[in-house]
């Protein structure tokens, strides 16, 4: 699933390519405004909150989309057609006044809302390290409300801190030296939030560092534990373990950790290590 840094990079590409452009024709093909024509609208800007993309038009409306596991955006040059099989996945289409076409493909979330009411679709989200209104203290406060909640479950909860997905949650657990299913309160939350914000910002903005957590962008060496089940830990050589993510997780995510570098802390309120 794309994470906050992925969507932030997408937003920058879309903003550079379409900001200030006018839509010659186009429509929404799903969501609460399916069938609505977009012809004549000007694109004011694109913004993000966590994994959510907000495209603002000059009529005071905002297109809210979310990629989840399968969605994507693409822009075709003037006169170039997408393959029929790809066009059939389009949920958003608009042709710009210079002939280029913008396609939102296989998007599971497509909402058109008044810009003044964006809170209706993203208001539940927690602070986002990639936004100008980032509030680290508020993120720490929200994470501290239920200190016994498992580390992975707490950080994946977008209402506590927005933008962290499975990859970053696993890598942050390793970097903090904590078992991913240990209570979130077993780690220093101020240090965790500061690290999470720094990692997301580097990944989102530094060329060549997209989702590189080890400092080594070479294939197979860019992550400490994510995707490395059964392989030796890059720090100590212990075999990396893996198990299913939070119980009943609809995304069926997996969690990786090094049992030596990330021991389960001892204590009466700590469960088994899995």
């Amino acid at each position: 699933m794309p994470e906050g840094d992925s969507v932030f990079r997408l937003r920058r590409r879309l903003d550079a390519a379409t900001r200030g452009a006018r839509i010659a024709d186009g429509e929404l093909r799903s969501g609460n405004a399916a069938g609505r024509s977009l012809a004549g609208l000007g694109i004011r800007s694109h913004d993000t909150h966590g994994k959510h993309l907000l495209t603002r038009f000059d009529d005071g409306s905002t297109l809210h989309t979310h990629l989840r596991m399968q969605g994507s955006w693409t822009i075709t040059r003037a006169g170039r057609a997408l393959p029929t099989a790809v066009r059939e996945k389009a949920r958003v289409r608009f042709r710009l006044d210079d002939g280029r076409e913008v396609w939102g493909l296989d998007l599971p979330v497509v909402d058109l809302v008044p810009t003044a009411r964006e809170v209706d679709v993203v208001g539940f989200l927690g602070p986002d390290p990639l936004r100008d209104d980032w509030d680290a203290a508020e993120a720490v406060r929200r994470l501290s409300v239920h200190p016994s909640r498992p580390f992975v479950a707490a950080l994946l909860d977008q209402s506590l801190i927005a933008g962290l997905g499975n990859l970053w949650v696993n890598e942050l657990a390793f970097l903090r030296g904590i078992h991913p299913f240990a209570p979130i309160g077993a780690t220093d939350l101020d240090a965790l939030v500061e690290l999470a914000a720094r990692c997301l910002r580097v990944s989102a903005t530094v060329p060549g560092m997209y989702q590189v957590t080890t400092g080594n962008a070479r294939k197979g060496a860019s992550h400490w534990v994510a995707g490395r089940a059964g392989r030796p830990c890059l720090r100590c050589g212990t075999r990396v373990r893996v198990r299913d993510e939070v119980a009943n997780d609809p995304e069926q995510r997996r969690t990786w950790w090094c049992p030596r570098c990330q021991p389960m802390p001892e204590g009466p309120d700590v469960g088994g290590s899995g």
Side-chain angles (χ1 to χ4, degrees):
M1 174 184 289
E3 312 207 7
D5 50 351
S6 315
V7 182
F8 184 88
R9 284 176 170 247
L10 169 64
R11 188 270 292 177
R12 292 178 73 176
R13 292 195 298 272
L14 289 174
D15 221 35
T18 69
R19 186 176 185 137
R22 190 156 297 279
I23 299 174
D25 68 74
E27 67 285 323
L28 302 180
R29 299 183 180 182
S30 67
N32 66 339
R36 179 78 60 87
S37 171
L38 301 176
L41 297 182
I43 300 173
R44 288 179 48 216
S45 64
H46 300 272
D47 197 5
T48 59
H49 193 142
K51 305 173 188 179
H52 299 249
L53 178 67
L54 302 167
T55 300
R56 298 183 180 122
F57 301 119
D58 62 1
D59 70 340
S61 65
T62 294
L63 177 63
H64 163 241
T65 57
H66 196 299
L67 303 178
R68 291 193 178 156
M69 293 295 288
Q70 73 274 18
S72 65
W73 286 84
T74 190
I75 301 175
T76 56
R77 296 189 301 271
R80 181 181 177 185
L82 284 177
T84 300
V86 177
R87 291 173 64 95
E88 290 176 351
K89 295 181 179 180
R91 302 295 177 262
V92 178
R93 181 195 73 90
F94 41 87
R95 181 171 58 83
L96 305 179
D97 48 11
D98 63 3
R100 291 177 299 151
E101 286 189 286
V102 182
W103 303 84
L105 303 173
D106 211 7
L107 299 173
V109 176
V110 179
D111 297 311
L112 190 68
V113 299
T115 300
R117 297 298 306 172
E118 288 178 358
V119 66
D120 292 347
V121 290
V122 296
F124 72 96
L125 295 169
D128 177 354
L130 298 177
R131 288 180 57 85
D132 291 339
D133 59 3
W134 163 239
D135 187 340
E138 176 62 12
V140 170
R141 186 194 69 78
R142 295 187 184 205
L143 288 166
S144 67
V145 170
H146 298 291
S148 63
R149 196 173 184 189
F151 184 99
V152 289
L155 286 193
L156 286 172
D157 187 337
Q158 300 297 296
S159 71
L160 305 184
I161 180 171
L164 297 176
N166 204 45
L167 182 143
W168 278 115
V169 169
N170 279 268
E171 294 296 289
L172 286 167
F174 180 88
L175 290 169
R176 291 296 302 154
I178 187 168
H179 194 286
F181 294 99
I184 187 69
T187 192
D188 180 332
L189 291 178
D190 289 289
L192 169 65
V193 166
E194 191 279 330
L195 177 63
R198 185 169 71 249
C199 286
L200 271 184
R201 290 171 186 158
V202 168
S203 180
T205 63
V206 177
M209 289 298 291
Y210 173 63
Q211 295 188 347
V212 175
T213 60
T214 61
N216 184 348
R218 183 170 53 85
K219 184 177 181 180
S222 60
H223 302 147
W224 289 106
V225 289
R228 293 184 55 84
R231 300 173 66 185
C233 172
L234 293 174
R235 178 179 291 166
C236 73
T238 303
R239 181 171 296 183
V240 173
R241 296 185 64 183
V242 64
R243 59 172 278 192
D244 288 340
E245 188 55 87
V246 189
N248 301 317
D249 177 17
E251 305 296 344
Q252 297 183 331
R253 290 165 288 198
R254 309 185 81 192
T255 295
W256 300 268
W257 77 98
C258 170
R260 182 174 182 182
C261 294
Q262 300 168 259
M264 176 68 80
E266 297 180 0
D269 297 325
V270 176
S273 60

